[in-house]
């Protein structure tokens, strides 16, 4: 098989790394890719949003399967264009991608089909949004742009003043352009968060390992939100919670999508919050999580090309997913200043050889004069696996000490919440 991966971050490197392990995959291309992906494939400088360019490239190279990493190409209809031409592609079409790309559609959908989720209100009108503000009797609340805002369109607001300021920025100043034409105001929920991943061809549903992302910048979930500072997998839910998630969230979602004539094929990523009233959906995404993918692929035994192709061809029922009985920890190494203004162009050095089992995914790097340099806020993702979560954690942090770039920082507590949960489970 010749495979094309669209995207350029750590998630796409993890896809390339896992697909490269398949005996069936003979050649990997990535557009635009990154220096890490270049170790296992050929990177070609076509943007992930250049759909005509990607169609031309895939036709010319006779690509057997195209795999989409990020949400934007899905939301603008790359799958529709490939499918129209009879080319195989992994990911949902434009209509189905609204589950992530249009948050007010997604919340309406969850409400109509009784999928547990926070209470919400959607507004396009400034005066209506401000009228509602006067009625709020409990802060914080969450304000989101309805459209895609590159992970920057979610705000937790603590006072009426903050609410008015965010509404002004989004609906009056148009800070997010079209993506902020409408806002969704949601009830703020508390609890542990888990990322649930299922593959579906619209009929069959297959679970991949779950994971937990660490979105806050600092240890113990403090500080500003980021694109994710690390993840571990699997997330240790008990059978009761797993059954509830299956029965009241995943199954009704897949059935209701089909019932509405929405042809959802790809991965459905449910961001779940485990509240005292049970699991609720914080968000649905139409692609793999980043950095969760970097944690889950190393503990999947099955050939990923078999799984992704079966989804694209609508025959997922023929395939079983095998996972390893292991834990995986992924720690994000970030540039000083991230997630705000950060400096790039620092040389990345490997001071000692890493253990052969340690995996380093490139999230934001570039090569210049045969030097590896930082090129983004999130730079590298270091991943270790082990049967014991504590050992996986010790190992990942030992390995990180061998890597250096000026300003490099990372969270030191990735995996702690999993260890705590396991301890509680053992005590019961
Ligand atoms: N891990 C968060 C995301 O991929 O959206």
């Amino acid at each position: 098989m010749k495979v094309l991966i669209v995207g350029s971050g750590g998630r796409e490197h993890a896809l390339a790394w896992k697909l490269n392990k398949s005996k069936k995959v003979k050649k990997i291309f990535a557009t635009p890719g990154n220096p890490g992906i270049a170790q296992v494939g050929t990177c070609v400088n076509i943007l992930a949003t250049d759909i005509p360019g990607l169609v031309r490239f895939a036709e010319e190279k006779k690509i057997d399967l195209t795999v989409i990493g990020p949400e934007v190409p899905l939301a603008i209809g790359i799958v529709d264009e490939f499918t129209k031409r009879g080319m195989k592609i992994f990911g949902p079409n434009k209509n189905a991608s609204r589950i992530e790309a249009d948050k007010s559609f997604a919340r309406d959908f969850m409400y109509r089909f009784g999928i547990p989720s926070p209470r919400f209100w959607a507004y396009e009108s400034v005066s209506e949004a401000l009228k509602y503000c006067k009625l709020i009797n409990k802060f914080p609340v969450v304000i989101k742009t309805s459209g895609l805002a590159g992970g920057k369109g979610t705000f937790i607001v603590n006072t009426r003043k903050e609410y008015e300021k965010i509404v002004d920025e989004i609906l009056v100043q148009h800070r997010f352009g079209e993506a902020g034409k409408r806002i969704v105001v949601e009830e703020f929920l508390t609890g542990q968060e888990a990322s649930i991943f299922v593959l579906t061809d619209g009929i069959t549903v297959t679970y991949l390992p779950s994971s937990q992302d660490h979105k806050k910048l600092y240890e113990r979930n403090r500080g500003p939100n980021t694109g994710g500072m690390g993840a571990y997998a699997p997330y240790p839910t008990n059978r009761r919670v797993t059954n509830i998630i299956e029965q009241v969230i995943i199954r009704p979602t897949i059935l209701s999508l089909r019932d509405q004539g929405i042809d959802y094929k790809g991965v459905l990523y449910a961001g779940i919050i485990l509240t005292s009233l049970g699991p609720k959906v914080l968000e649905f995404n139409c692609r793999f999580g980043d950095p969760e993918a970097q944690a889950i692929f190393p503990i999947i035994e099955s050939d990923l090309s078999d799984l992704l192709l079966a989804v694209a061809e609508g025959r997922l029922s023929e395939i079983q997913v095998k996972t390893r009985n292991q834990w995986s920890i992924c720690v994000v190494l970030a540039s000083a200043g991230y997630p705000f203004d950060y400096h790039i162009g620092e040389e990345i050095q490997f001071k000692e050889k890493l253990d052969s089992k340690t995996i380093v995914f490139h999230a934001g790097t570039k090569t210049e004069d045969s030097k590896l340099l930082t090129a983004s806020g999130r730079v590298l993702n270091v991943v270790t696996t082990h049967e014991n979560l504590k050992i996986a954690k010790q190992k990942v942090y030992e390995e990180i000490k061998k890597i250096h770039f000026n300003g490099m920082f990372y969270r030191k507590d990735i995996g702690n919440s999993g260890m705590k949960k396991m301890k509680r489970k053992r005590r019961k």
Side-chain angles (χ1 to χ4, degrees), residues 315-329:
R315 46 173 191 79
L316 189 58
S317 61
E318 294 171 14
I319 314 266
Q320 295 273 323
V321 177
K322 272 203 219 121
T323 52
R324 299 200 171 101
N325 195 12
Q326 285 190 327
W327 296 91
S328 169
I329 299 211

Side-chain angles (χ1 to χ4, degrees), residues 13 27 53 64 72 82 93 108 114 163 167 182 192-193 236 262 283 295 300 315 335-336 380 390 426:
H13 187 184
K27 177 84 194 159
D64 299 293
V72 173
F82 272 60
N93 61 26
D108 266 339
Y163 180 108
V167 166
R182 173 182 284 228
Q192 286 283 322
E193 290 181 28
I262 298 172
E283 61 182 7
I300 295 177
R315 46 173 191 79
S335 301
L380 295 174
K390 195 170 166 192
R426 276 195 298 270

Side-chain angles (χ1 to χ4, degrees), residues 4 7 24 27 52 66 156 339 355:
L4 168 63
K24 294 173 192 154
K27 177 84 194 159
T66 299
I156 297 170
D355 186 292

